[in-house]
Amino acid sequence: MPARALKTLLTCALLGFTAFSQAQQVLRLTAIPDESPTELARKAAPLVKYLESRLAMKVEYTPVTDYAASVEALVNKKVDMAWFGGFTFVQAHVRSGGKVIPLVQREEDEKFKSVFISGDPTVQALADLKGKDVSFGSQSSTSGHLMPRHFLLQSRIDPDKDFRRVAYSGAHDATIAAVASGKVQAGALNISVWTKFVADGKVDTGKVRVIYTTPAYYDYNWTVHADMPVALRDKITQAMLALSRDTAEGKEVLEVQRATRFVPTRAENYKGIEAAARSAGLL
């Protein structure tokens, strides 16, 4: 390569790196709004503090109004990293033409589950939901809609035909509230939110109980845009994998994230979610 051309190439590369380094003063995070804004902000705060210390850069958490907004934010690079459910990851992967990369998931997300709950004494099994009012979470929720719907269809129960009414609460905690108040006879939600509500005494299990727990499936992950430099992507991954309950800092982050630890993940893990979404006509 001629010396002048090589010099031009190196100059362009340097300018490009400089432009990135100037622009990337802040790592922007978001998360699907599967719980109340207050709870999401509480969960984000320790992680933001931890990542700032490990990455030596400013980290900001920005809430979004709905699941679709989280997908669009990452696809259009309005944020750098997003906490997705399995279904929202699939939506982002399809929407971006494969330009998003899942980095890590909680160990619990390798075998995640949903629960169906009810406060109606006549509802003891999935078959008893026929003719009832049943709530899902968000329409784009993996554990609050897609996979519960998938397992209902496998049991030859079509929500749109067999339920008296299908409701969408928008979030897992809102589903619990709808069932507890009697607005609906049953609801489907994320098992970890249910477990937390029970542990915190926020639900009367004498009145509201689990009637069915789904088989396991892959769910939540932290995903970045494929245009993120590999060095930064690797640094984030290593920081997440280094979190340990053996340290005060790690314990704080992992507890609010309801995680034992974070483990590596890959796009192939979510092929089953994509197949379920296509089968249910949701993708």
Side-chain angles (χ1 to χ4, degrees):
M1 180 181 292
R4 180 177 294 180
L6 179 59
K7 183 177 180 180
T8 300
L9 181 62
L10 290 173
T11 300
C12 289
L14 178 60
L15 288 173
F17 176 79
T18 302
F20 170 78
S21 63
Q22 290 175 342
Q24 194 65 28
Q25 294 299 316
V26 179
L27 181 73
R28 302 157 300 174
L29 311 181
T30 195
I32 56 172
D34 59 347
E35 296 182 76
S36 70
T38 301
E39 177 64 10
L40 291 176
R42 186 185 76 86
K43 289 169 66 176
L47 180 62
V48 166
K49 182 180 178 182
Y50 170 74
L51 287 176
E52 283 187 334
S53 68
R54 291 298 295 254
L55 303 178
M57 65 190 300
K58 177 76 173 172
V59 178
E60 290 181 352
Y61 167 72
T62 303
V64 290
T65 55
D66 55 38
Y67 282 56
S70 69
V71 171
E72 291 303 312
L74 187 64
V75 169
N76 294 314
K77 296 190 279 189
K78 300 298 184 183
V79 297
D80 307 295
M81 183 167 155
W83 176 245
F84 283 149
F87 186 26
T88 33
F89 165 74
V90 168
Q91 289 175 318
H93 197 260
V94 171
R95 173 80 175 77
S96 67
K99 291 279 286 180
V100 297
I101 300 172
L103 298 183
V104 296
Q105 62 187 98
R106 298 171 303 184
E107 188 172 49
E108 288 78 359
D109 293 312
E110 294 182 309
K111 295 181 179 180
F112 206 75
K113 297 177 181 178
S114 298
V115 293
F116 283 81
I117 60 173
S118 178
D120 186 334
T122 68
V123 177
Q124 300 293 327
L126 289 183
D128 299 328
L129 297 177
K130 292 183 177 181
K132 305 293 186 182
D133 298 331
V134 181
S135 180
F136 295 113
S138 166
Q139 288 181 299
S140 292
S141 173
T142 310
S143 54
H145 179 221
L146 171 59
M147 296 314 287
R149 179 180 283 270
H150 171 70
F151 292 117
L152 283 167
L153 292 172
Q154 283 195 337
S155 298
R156 298 186 178 181
I157 300 171
D158 186 335
D160 299 323
K161 295 178 180 178
D162 295 325
F163 294 168
R164 180 170 61 190
R165 179 171 66 94
V166 173
Y168 293 96
S169 70
H172 302 295
D173 46 7
T175 297
I176 296 175
V179 174
S181 67
K183 289 183 179 179
V184 293
Q185 286 79 60
L189 70 144
N190 170 328
I191 193 171
S192 73
V193 173
W194 170 255
T195 301
K196 183 177 187 301
F197 264 62
V198 171
D200 292 348
K202 292 182 178 179
V203 60
D204 184 350
T205 53
K207 295 180 179 179
V208 180
R209 69 206 182 285
V210 173
I211 63 155
Y212 179 76
T213 301
T214 70
Y217 53 86
Y218 280 97
D219 203 355
Y220 297 87
N221 65 57
W222 280 106
T223 293
V224 300
H225 198 281
D227 287 348
M228 176 182 283
V230 174
L232 178 57
R233 187 195 313 165
D234 289 345
K235 200 171 181 180
I236 292 170
T237 300
Q238 292 309 310
M240 297 298 287
L241 296 180
L243 282 163
S244 170
R245 285 179 174 262
D246 292 336
T247 68
E249 184 178 47
K251 183 178 180 181
E252 182 183 18
V253 174
L254 292 170
E255 281 190 349
V256 296
Q257 295 287 323
R258 299 177 201 135
T260 301
R261 63 188 179 114
F262 281 93
V263 297
T265 191
R266 55 198 182 110
E268 288 75 11
N269 288 342
Y270 300 93
K271 289 296 184 182
I273 297 290
E274 180 176 353
R278 294 191 184 281
S279 178
L282 298 177
L283 189 64

